[in-house]
Amino acid sequence: MLLFCRRDQTPADRDALLTAARAAGFHPQPMGDRIIGLFGAGRVDELSGLAGVERIAESDGTPLLATLNGHEPTIVPVGAARVGEGFTVIAGPCAVEDRQRVLDLAHRVKDAGATILRGGAFKPRTSPYSFRGLGRTGLEYLRAAGDATGLPVVTEVMDTRDVPLVAEHADMLQIGSRNMMNYSLLVEAGRAGRPVFLKRGMSATLDELLHAAEYLLLEGVPGVVLCERGIRTFSTEMRNTLDVSVVPLLRERTHLPLIVDPSHATGSSRFVPAMARAAAAAGAIGIMVEVHDDPGVALSDGPQALHPDTLRDLIRQLREISAIVNRTPAPPAT
Amino acid sequence: MLLFCRRDQTPADRDALLTAARAAGFHPQPMGDRIIGLFGAGRVDELSGLAGVERIAESDGTPLLATLNGHEPTIVPVGAARVGEGFTVIAGPCAVEDRQRVLDLAHRVKDAGATILRGGAFKPRTSPYSFRGLGRTGLEYLRAAGDATGLPVVTEVMDTRDVPLVAEHADMLQIGSRNMMNYSLLVEAGRAGRPVFLKRGMSATLDELLHAAEYLLLEGVPGVVLCERGIRTFSTEMRNTLDVSVVPLLRERTHLPLIVDPSHATGSSRFVPAMARAAAAAGAIGIMVEVHDDPGVALSDGPQALHPDTLRDLIRQLREISAIVNRTPAPPAT
Amino acid sequence: MLLFCRRDQTPADRDALLTAARAAGFHPQPMGDRIIGLFGAGRVDELSGLAGVERIAESDGTPLLATLNGHEPTIVPVGAARVGEGFTVIAGPCAVEDRQRVLDLAHRVKDAGATILRGGAFKPRTSPYSFRGLGRTGLEYLRAAGDATGLPVVTEVMDTRDVPLVAEHADMLQIGSRNMMNYSLLVEAGRAGRPVFLKRGMSATLDELLHAAEYLLLEGVPGVVLCERGIRTFSTEMRNTLDVSVVPLLRERTHLPLIVDPSHATGSSRFVPAMARAAAAAGAIGIMVEVHDDPGVALSDGPQALHPDTLRDLIRQLREISAIVNRTPAPPAT
Amino acid sequence: MLLFCRRDQTPADRDALLTAARAAGFHPQPMGDRIIGLFGAGRVDELSGLAGVERIAESDGTPLLATLNGHEPTIVPVGAARVGEGFTVIAGPCAVEDRQRVLDLAHRVKDAGATILRGGAFKPRTSPYSFRGLGRTGLEYLRAAGDATGLPVVTEVMDTRDVPLVAEHADMLQIGSRNMMNYSLLVEAGRAGRPVFLKRGMSATLDELLHAAEYLLLEGVPGVVLCERGIRTFSTEMRNTLDVSVVPLLRERTHLPLIVDPSHATGSSRFVPAMARAAAAAGAIGIMVEVHDDPGVALSDGPQALHPDTLRDLIRQLREISAIVNRTPAPPAT
């Protein structure tokens, strides 16, 4: 059971409720500011009339997410950008490597038409012997590049202890695929006052993805952007199998904006444009792509990075496709 | 080892070669008209100089398929249509149900812009208690609808014994997903003198798909059209997971035309347009879709059938997207 | 709807029923001897009172399979062997290669403890350039080896046209993984008067497997033995992923005996014993394994073949494990 | 490149090396105590002669893991237990619910034959509205139950910030499936001075699992126990598909002990015994199972919990099977 507290509940009310819940035979568990989970076989009737109680109900799916589904898709402000309005292009290097390179790349992706800058300072790597990112220094370089170009920045956070630091430097926090079910991190990121870019886990169902978003909403996150980046299937031709079908599926189930990342899905820049176009044609509101001006020397994931010139041509195609998809339906043929 | 025979080889040469191969310690196995497989630990040098021998070489991948990869993509003529030229739309009912309905639908899909008519007469069904198609009668109705509209027709064949009958009525034979590894059927279909529409198996790798095409080529098939129709993954939100990534992947590996079937991949007409657009945007040269004017009464797969009016709007979008994708690259920005 | 005919129905009754069903607005479709499928929106009440009609009911799952589930597991007689009684070991070469070798192997697997002889005469191969088996000659060699040792034989059939030939030589027909959804073949094999060894498709659900068994039962097959042989997953360490969990799952859902094939699942003889033991410990009633006395020269799948001596030791372990699993539960501890 | 430092390296040497590496054009990155990763296109020859340098080499797989592979399997001491010696049974409730229940269960699983006590205090849950565990209080109850029975305890840690707290209460730290690629957590857990129980991620390859173990070893972890707990496949009959094949596979690739968790793999106590037996028969050195004396009221995962009496019978079977598997090979038959 979930006990929903009134908005005007006082801290004293809350403490009294927790005590009462224990006395009624429950294990009470606070969830966000206004919900107390009641676990075990307790007596509900001892609680329902107490001060600060709005209602007690069975837990049911993702109630906070449901409240976002209105007449219009949700727009998520990220710095000066508005994700969900027009076609969003998040671009930049896989990893921030040095101050000058990220600054140059920021200018080039902006010129190519990107609207948000990405770049990894904390990098999750399968092998402990791979480059794990510049950390705090990387955050500083990324912030500087964002400020110089006017592009808002998004970067990954991997450790609950780093959330405040990353939130200080970035306009949006990224939760990577490997951490989509790192619930401690979701809770902490949800409290940081920044929108969160939430990547689907490699074998996560949509239900699991939406519940991860609910974790964030429960902590008061100001916005969530979902991201499909490929799933793990029997097919090993590309790094992952981009699941384009989530685009129309999620549109039915949530109003949160959905971005597609064809770089990680394919693992190869040769395939990025085709898959980016597929995403736009299916109705995705934007893409995240990795870009490098000299992929051969990139410290991480060079083979999947687009050259900035390719990005420019691609963005032009994507905006044309997106216009066809989103255009007001033609009047009936006569 | 494979023994490649000379084009001018006589039947007597061939018989002599088979005898000599046995004497040399091999299990010889004829493959198509011009190849003899040599299995076991025999003595190659006893064969290499014999009449009718072109060369003896290790088997290596899909040599016949490789010969099709030239400067231009392969065009497959199907009746009056040319698959691989322009954007191909194969449309029609899942199953042929009665003469009038398939005739009406043929007119409607033609009006909507379809270029080839589909319709099942032999239907593979998971349950033996489902409608398995009208068989020979269905073939006759389909042929009549094709003739009345001028649309070439494609229909599935499931049994080696039915290949001649189906080849007599259809312009192209379809091998369904469940039979992609039915090698007896591939051999028989490859000999029927008709192009073959080969659907990828639900868990087939690209290598397995291309080897299935090689089976057909080895028997002298006049043309092969490949089809992606969704793979089986952990995700159960749609009937299958459409693997859009095969579009750019196969373009690198073969010049055979690739069609995408969003109807079977999604199992729901709500999702067909988005996935059809994704396929076109990724570079597919056409789609196969199921259409019904009254899906609620369809004897098979009603929920995934598009209404003809929706098809018309969709085809218009697909042709626009395809034009963007295939347009000559813009001159470099100045 | 399914129309179940009475056992004493005459051919004339049946013809009259088919005519009446058409007149009532249905597409009638005979299924086996005693069921007529009624498809489309017809009028049931016009049929229910006619001669030869037992009842008309909604199709529901796998009714014939359900009738086999009694108090005891089903025993399938295969020649002199009884599958489902004791621990069954089906062993032999992947492919029948020559008369002497299969005869020698038959003696060796019998000495090792095997109860049924296997050997492929028609081999489904991913590449058309692989050895496809000796065909009719292979069947003769296998039959001779079975007769010489007294072991019943099982071998694969791939083509509807070969069913009578294979049924003449084998005590049990095998339907391979690639053909589990080849419904034409299931129908024909079901009519051949031999029990059928039905392998689960590489990505088949249990529901699909059980429906394939229902196809066989509908045609009057005298017995069905199911076989798990590995599924296709993201893991590529072994050829397939042996799904041991089907052993307890199928035991809940069907009384048909279940055999496990660790040779195809693993693709490597190094892993066969461990997976065979796992199958026995989970409760499988037997295994099918490939055996070769000189795997390095095998024409097909040598790397997964056990040596006969290894087989002997393995069978001893499996019988011990099976005894532990199937022993009457110990009396409660005091 | 990796720079391996000498054992007698001083902190001053190390600082000098980092400075020199930057000057030589690298991004240096410390990894554990004795390795410095060198990223980017620097000049190796400027570093190789410096004080404290042992050698500079390409990164190659999992070198620390490789050093554990000796003549004998690795034994991991966990409190008074020795994992890898005899057959280990880790049992207990999914979640610690209250002091008395965990104490009672500890006594019961010990009586049944278990050698280590498990119980969750921090619970990763798909829905934020599920019971997330008692946290610190749960750790205290678990520790008390371990002390009362003499059983060592293992419990999950989810947050880097909680590692010291959990390490203080538990004899072994568990990293759950959802966090197998939470590299920040691996680093922190590796430093805590406790052995780590590392569960394979739901879609992790063996390579990814072994690299996760390498992360732990790099930080000086005193022992690693691997755990297979089911993977995500197309099959949805059970919660996950237990991948029994990793048992022989991992035995070839690592000497770390491997435990199998049939409770999470199956999600149902009906299937736990069969899958536990399969694991033992495949050669697993132990199992982890969830136990509850009243599964209907469990706050988490009740349906998969075994009753203590069932556990007792199961352990007896497992020890018998394990003895058959591990027994010295029989002398050759005469």
Side-chain angles (χ1 to χ4, degrees):
Chain A
M1 307 291 286
L2 301 180
L3 185 161
F4 292 81
C5 303
R6 293 167 53 99
R7 282 189 190 282
D8 60 1
Q9 182 198 42
T10 65
D13 288 346
R14 189 177 177 84
D15 288 347
L17 273 177
L18 290 169
T19 304
R22 279 187 209 98
F26 289 108
H27 297 278
Q29 196 152 83
M31 297 165 161
D33 284 345
R34 292 188 49 226
I35 300 180
I36 296 173
L38 301 174
F39 299 100
R43 295 168 300 280
V44 171
D45 53 344
E46 296 184 12
L47 302 177
S48 45
L50 300 185
V53 174
E54 185 179 288
R55 65 195 164 93
I56 299 177
E58 284 296 332
S59 165
D60 181 26
T62 51
L64 300 179
L65 195 61
T67 63
L68 298 180
N69 293 347
H71 287 294
E72 297 296 327
T74 303
I75 307 289
V76 176
V78 177
R82 291 172 59 79
V83 177
E85 209 172 77
F87 193 80
T88 296
V89 177
I90 306 175
C94 181
V96 174
E97 298 175 4
D98 63 44
R99 179 186 290 274
Q100 193 55 46
R101 173 154 264 148
V102 69
L103 183 63
D104 290 350
L105 276 171
H107 281 294
R108 299 200 65 176
V109 303
K110 185 182 185 190
D111 289 349
T115 45
I116 298 179
L117 178 66
R118 63 149 288 148
F122 295 102
K123 301 292 304 169
R125 302 304 299 269
T126 300
S127 166
Y129 304 117
S130 299
F131 178 59
R132 304 192 207 169
L134 298 184
R136 174 191 286 266
T137 308
L139 293 176
E140 289 164 5
Y141 293 169
L142 183 69
R143 180 72 267 163
D147 289 345
T149 54
L151 291 175
V153 303
V154 57
T155 196
E156 180 161 358
V157 60
M158 292 168 57
D159 190 322
T160 48
R161 297 170 299 189
D162 295 329
V163 168
L165 176 72
V166 176
E168 186 189 318
H169 290 82
D171 298 290
M172 180 159 60
L173 306 184
Q174 176 177 320
I175 304 283
S177 292
R178 294 171 175 88
N179 280 315
M180 192 204 87
M181 295 192 192
N182 178 345
Y183 298 119
S184 301
L185 184 61
L186 292 175
V187 166
E188 203 63 27
R191 293 174 181 167
R194 296 286 189 190
V196 171
F197 187 79
L198 178 64
K199 289 188 136 185
R200 180 184 182 190
M202 249 176 281
S203 60
T205 63
L206 295 196
D207 207 52
E208 289 167 343
L209 174 62
L210 295 177
H211 274 93
E214 184 83 5
Y215 263 97
L216 294 165
L217 294 169
L218 188 53
E219 301 300 331
V221 74
V224 178
V225 178
L226 302 176
C227 177
E228 159 65 28
R229 44 76 72 208
I231 56 173
R232 196 156 263 184
T233 70
F234 70 85
S235 175
T236 56
E237 303 276 344
M238 289 188 182
R239 190 152 72 173
N240 292 108
T241 302
L242 186 68
D243 183 7
V244 180
S245 70
V246 300
V247 180
L249 273 167
L250 280 177
R251 183 160 283 199
E252 282 203 347
R253 291 176 57 183
T254 177
H255 278 195
L256 294 181
L258 176 71
I259 294 277
V260 169
D261 172 354
S263 302
H264 285 89
T266 62
S268 165
S269 57
R270 301 198 315 279
F271 302 127
V272 165
M275 300 314 287
R277 292 192 308 254
I285 60 89
I287 57 165
M288 169 181 267
V289 277
E290 293 188 0
V291 177
H292 204 281
D293 53 348
D294 189 357
V297 307
L299 297 186
S300 173
D301 282 344
Q304 75 195 30
L306 287 189
H307 191 275
D309 293 341
T310 311
L311 179 65
R312 174 193 304 274
D313 293 343
L314 177 60
I315 291 177
R316 205 177 292 143
Q317 279 190 320
L318 296 177
R319 295 218 156 109
E320 288 183 72
I321 290 170
S322 192
I324 292 171
V325 173
N326 294 310
R327 155 179 87 201
T328 314
T334 48
Chain B
M1 307 291 285
L2 300 180
L3 186 160
F4 292 82
C5 302
R6 294 167 51 99
R7 283 191 188 281
D8 59 2
Q9 181 199 43
T10 65
D13 287 348
R14 188 177 177 83
D15 289 349
L17 273 178
L18 289 168
T19 304
R22 277 185 210 99
F26 288 108
H27 297 278
Q29 197 154 81
M31 297 165 163
D33 284 346
R34 292 187 50 224
I35 299 180
I36 296 173
L38 301 174
F39 298 100
R43 296 168 299 280
V44 170
D45 55 344
E46 295 183 14
L47 302 178
S48 46
L50 299 186
V53 174
E54 186 179 286
R55 64 194 165 93
I56 299 177
E58 285 296 333
S59 164
D60 182 26
T62 51
L64 301 178
L65 194 62
T67 63
L68 298 180
N69 293 349
H71 287 294
E72 297 296 328
T74 303
I75 306 290
V76 176
V78 177
R82 291 172 60 77
V83 177
E85 212 173 74
F87 194 80
T88 297
V89 177
I90 306 175
C94 180
V96 174
E97 297 176 4
D98 63 43
R99 179 185 291 274
Q100 194 54 47
R101 172 155 264 149
V102 68
L103 184 61
D104 290 350
L105 275 172
H107 280 294
R108 299 199 65 176
V109 302
K110 186 182 184 190
D111 289 349
T115 46
I116 297 180
L117 178 65
R118 64 149 288 148
F122 296 102
K123 301 292 307 168
R125 302 303 300 268
T126 299
S127 167
Y129 304 117
S130 298
F131 178 59
R132 303 191 208 170
L134 297 183
R136 174 191 287 267
T137 307
L139 293 176
E140 289 164 3
Y141 294 168
L142 183 69
R143 180 73 266 164
D147 289 345
T149 53
L151 291 176
V153 303
V154 57
T155 195
E156 180 161 358
V157 60
M158 292 169 55
D159 191 322
T160 50
R161 296 170 300 189
D162 295 329
V163 168
L165 176 72
V166 177
E168 186 188 319
H169 290 82
D171 299 290
M172 180 159 60
L173 306 184
Q174 175 176 320
I175 304 282
S177 291
R178 293 171 175 88
N179 280 315
M180 192 204 87
M181 294 192 193
N182 177 346
Y183 298 119
S184 301
L185 185 61
L186 291 175
V187 167
E188 204 62 27
R191 293 174 180 167
R194 297 285 187 191
V196 170
F197 187 80
L198 178 63
K199 289 188 138 184
R200 180 184 183 191
M202 249 176 282
S203 61
T205 63
L206 296 195
D207 207 53
E208 289 166 343
L209 175 62
L210 295 176
H211 274 93
E214 184 83 7
Y215 263 97
L216 295 166
L217 294 168
L218 188 53
E219 301 300 331
V221 75
V224 178
V225 178
L226 302 177
C227 178
E228 159 66 26
R229 43 76 72 209
I231 57 174
R232 195 156 265 184
T233 70
F234 71 84
S235 174
T236 56
E237 303 276 343
M238 289 189 182
R239 189 152 72 173
N240 292 108
T241 302
L242 187 68
D243 182 7
V244 179
S245 70
V246 299
V247 180
L249 273 167
L250 280 177
R251 183 161 283 199
E252 282 204 346
R253 292 176 57 181
T254 178
H255 278 194
L256 294 181
L258 176 71
I259 295 277
V260 170
D261 172 353
S263 302
H264 285 89
T266 61
S268 164
S269 57
R270 301 197 313 279
F271 302 126
V272 165
M275 300 314 287
R277 291 193 308 254
I285 60 90
I287 57 164
M288 170 181 265
V289 277
E290 293 189 0
V291 177
H292 204 283
D293 53 348
D294 190 356
V297 307
L299 297 186
S300 174
D301 282 343
Q304 75 194 32
L306 286 189
H307 191 274
D309 293 341
T310 310
L311 179 66
R312 175 194 303 274
D313 293 342
L314 177 60
I315 292 177
R316 204 176 291 143
Q317 278 190 319
L318 296 176
R319 296 216 156 110
E320 288 183 72
I321 290 171
S322 191
I324 292 171
V325 173
N326 295 309
R327 145 183 95 200
T328 315
T334 49
Chain C
M1 307 291 284
L2 301 181
L3 185 160
F4 293 80
C5 303
R6 294 166 52 98
R7 283 190 189 280
D8 59 2
Q9 181 198 44
T10 65
D13 288 348
R14 188 176 177 86
D15 288 348
L17 272 178
L18 288 169
T19 304
R22 278 185 209 98
F26 289 108
H27 296 278
Q29 196 153 81
M31 297 166 162
D33 285 344
R34 292 188 48 225
I35 300 180
I36 297 173
L38 302 174
F39 299 101
R43 295 169 299 281
V44 171
D45 54 343
E46 296 183 14
L47 302 177
S48 47
L50 299 186
V53 173
E54 186 180 287
R55 64 194 166 93
I56 299 177
E58 284 296 332
S59 164
D60 181 26
T62 51
L64 299 179
L65 195 62
T67 63
L68 298 180
N69 292 347
H71 287 295
E72 297 296 326
T74 302
I75 307 290
V76 176
V78 177
R82 292 172 59 79
V83 177
E85 210 172 76
F87 193 80
T88 297
V89 176
I90 306 176
C94 179
V96 174
E97 298 176 3
D98 63 43
R99 180 185 290 274
Q100 193 57 45
R101 171 155 265 148
V102 69
L103 184 61
D104 290 350
L105 276 171
H107 280 295
R108 298 199 66 175
V109 302
K110 186 182 184 191
D111 289 349
T115 45
I116 298 179
L117 178 65
R118 64 149 287 149
F122 295 103
K123 301 293 306 169
R125 301 303 299 267
T126 300
S127 166
Y129 305 117
S130 298
F131 178 59
R132 303 192 208 168
L134 298 182
R136 174 191 287 267
T137 307
L139 293 176
E140 290 165 3
Y141 294 168
L142 183 69
R143 179 74 266 162
D147 290 345
T149 53
L151 291 176
V153 302
V154 57
T155 195
E156 180 161 357
V157 60
M158 293 170 54
D159 190 322
T160 49
R161 296 170 301 187
D162 295 328
V163 168
L165 177 71
V166 176
E168 187 187 318
H169 290 81
D171 299 289
M172 181 159 60
L173 307 183
Q174 177 177 317
I175 304 284
S177 291
R178 293 170 175 88
N179 281 315
M180 192 204 86
M181 294 193 192
N182 177 345
Y183 298 119
S184 301
L185 185 60
L186 291 176
V187 168
E188 204 63 27
R191 292 174 181 167
R194 296 286 187 190
V196 171
F197 186 81
L198 177 64
K199 288 189 138 184
R200 181 185 182 189
M202 249 175 283
S203 61
T205 62
L206 295 197
D207 207 52
E208 289 166 343
L209 174 62
L210 295 178
H211 274 93
E214 185 84 4
Y215 263 96
L216 295 166
L217 294 169
L218 189 52
E219 302 300 331
V221 74
V224 178
V225 178
L226 302 177
C227 178
E228 159 66 28
R229 45 74 72 205
I231 57 174
R232 196 154 264 184
T233 70
F234 71 84
S235 175
T236 57
E237 302 276 343
M238 288 189 182
R239 190 152 72 173
N240 293 107
T241 301
L242 186 68
D243 183 6
V244 180
S245 70
V246 300
V247 179
L249 273 167
L250 280 177
R251 183 160 283 198
E252 281 203 347
R253 292 176 56 182
T254 177
H255 278 193
L256 293 180
L258 176 71
I259 294 278
V260 169
D261 173 354
S263 301
H264 285 88
T266 62
S268 165
S269 58
R270 300 198 316 279
F271 301 127
V272 165
M275 300 313 288
R277 291 191 309 253
I285 59 90
I287 58 166
M288 170 181 265
V289 277
E290 293 188 0
V291 177
H292 203 282
D293 52 349
D294 189 357
V297 307
L299 298 185
S300 173
D301 281 344
Q304 75 194 32
L306 286 189
H307 191 276
D309 294 340
T310 311
L311 179 65
R312 175 193 303 273
D313 292 343
L314 176 60
I315 292 177
R316 205 177 290 144
Q317 278 190 321
L318 296 176
R319 295 217 157 110
E320 288 183 72
I321 290 171
S322 191
I324 292 170
V325 173
N326 295 309
R327 156 179 86 199
T328 315
T334 50
Chain D
M1 308 292 287
L2 300 181
L3 187 160
F4 292 81
C5 302
R6 293 166 53 100
R7 281 190 190 281
D8 59 3
Q9 182 198 41
T10 65
D13 287 346
R14 188 177 178 84
D15 288 348
L17 272 178
L18 290 168
T19 304
R22 278 187 209 97
F26 289 108
H27 297 278
Q29 197 152 81
M31 296 165 163
D33 284 345
R34 294 187 49 223
I35 300 180
I36 296 174
L38 301 175
F39 299 101
R43 296 168 300 279
V44 171
D45 54 344
E46 295 184 14
L47 302 176
S48 45
L50 299 187
V53 174
E54 185 179 288
R55 64 195 166 92
I56 299 178
E58 284 296 333
S59 165
D60 181 26
T62 50
L64 300 179
L65 195 61
T67 64
L68 298 180
N69 292 347
H71 288 295
E72 298 295 327
T74 303
I75 307 290
V76 176
V78 178
R82 291 172 59 79
V83 176
E85 211 173 74
F87 193 80
T88 297
V89 176
I90 306 176
C94 180
V96 174
E97 298 175 3
D98 63 44
R99 180 186 289 274
Q100 192 57 45
R101 172 156 264 151
V102 69
L103 183 63
D104 290 349
L105 276 172
H107 280 294
R108 298 200 65 176
V109 302
K110 186 182 185 191
D111 289 349
T115 45
I116 298 179
L117 178 66
R118 64 149 287 148
F122 295 102
K123 301 293 305 170
R125 302 303 299 268
T126 300
S127 166
Y129 304 118
S130 299
F131 178 60
R132 304 191 207 170
L134 299 183
R136 175 192 285 267
T137 307
L139 294 176
E140 289 163 5
Y141 294 168
L142 183 68
R143 180 73 265 163
D147 289 344
T149 53
L151 292 176
V153 303
V154 56
T155 195
E156 181 161 358
V157 61
M158 292 169 56
D159 190 322
T160 48
R161 297 170 299 189
D162 295 328
V163 168
L165 176 71
V166 176
E168 185 189 320
H169 290 81
D171 299 289
M172 180 159 62
L173 305 184
Q174 177 176 320
I175 304 283
S177 291
R178 294 170 175 88
N179 280 315
M180 192 204 86
M181 295 192 192
N182 177 346
Y183 298 120
S184 301
L185 185 61
L186 291 176
V187 167
E188 204 62 27
R191 293 174 180 167
R194 297 286 187 189
V196 170
F197 187 81
L198 178 63
K199 289 189 137 183
R200 180 185 183 188
M202 249 176 282
S203 61
T205 63
L206 295 197
D207 207 51
E208 290 166 343
L209 174 62
L210 294 177
H211 274 93
E214 185 82 5
Y215 264 97
L216 294 166
L217 294 168
L218 189 51
E219 301 301 330
V221 74
V224 178
V225 178
L226 302 176
C227 178
E228 158 68 25
R229 45 75 74 208
I231 57 174
R232 195 157 264 184
T233 71
F234 71 84
S235 175
T236 56
E237 302 276 343
M238 288 188 183
R239 190 153 72 173
N240 292 107
T241 301
L242 187 68
D243 183 6
V244 180
S245 70
V246 299
V247 180
L249 274 167
L250 280 177
R251 183 161 283 200
E252 281 203 348
R253 291 176 58 182
T254 178
H255 278 194
L256 293 181
L258 176 71
I259 295 278
V260 170
D261 172 354
S263 302
H264 285 89
T266 61
S268 164
S269 58
R270 300 199 314 279
F271 302 127
V272 166
M275 301 313 287
R277 291 192 309 253
I285 59 90
I287 57 166
M288 171 182 265
V289 278
E290 293 188 0
V291 177
H292 204 282
D293 52 348
D294 189 358
V297 306
L299 298 186
S300 173
D301 281 344
Q304 75 195 31
L306 287 189
H307 191 274
D309 294 340
T310 311
L311 179 65
R312 175 194 303 274
D313 293 343
L314 177 60
I315 292 178
R316 204 177 291 144
Q317 279 190 320
L318 296 177
R319 296 216 157 110
E320 287 183 72
I321 290 171
S322 191
I324 292 170
V325 173
N326 294 310
R327 155 179 88 200
T328 314
T334 51

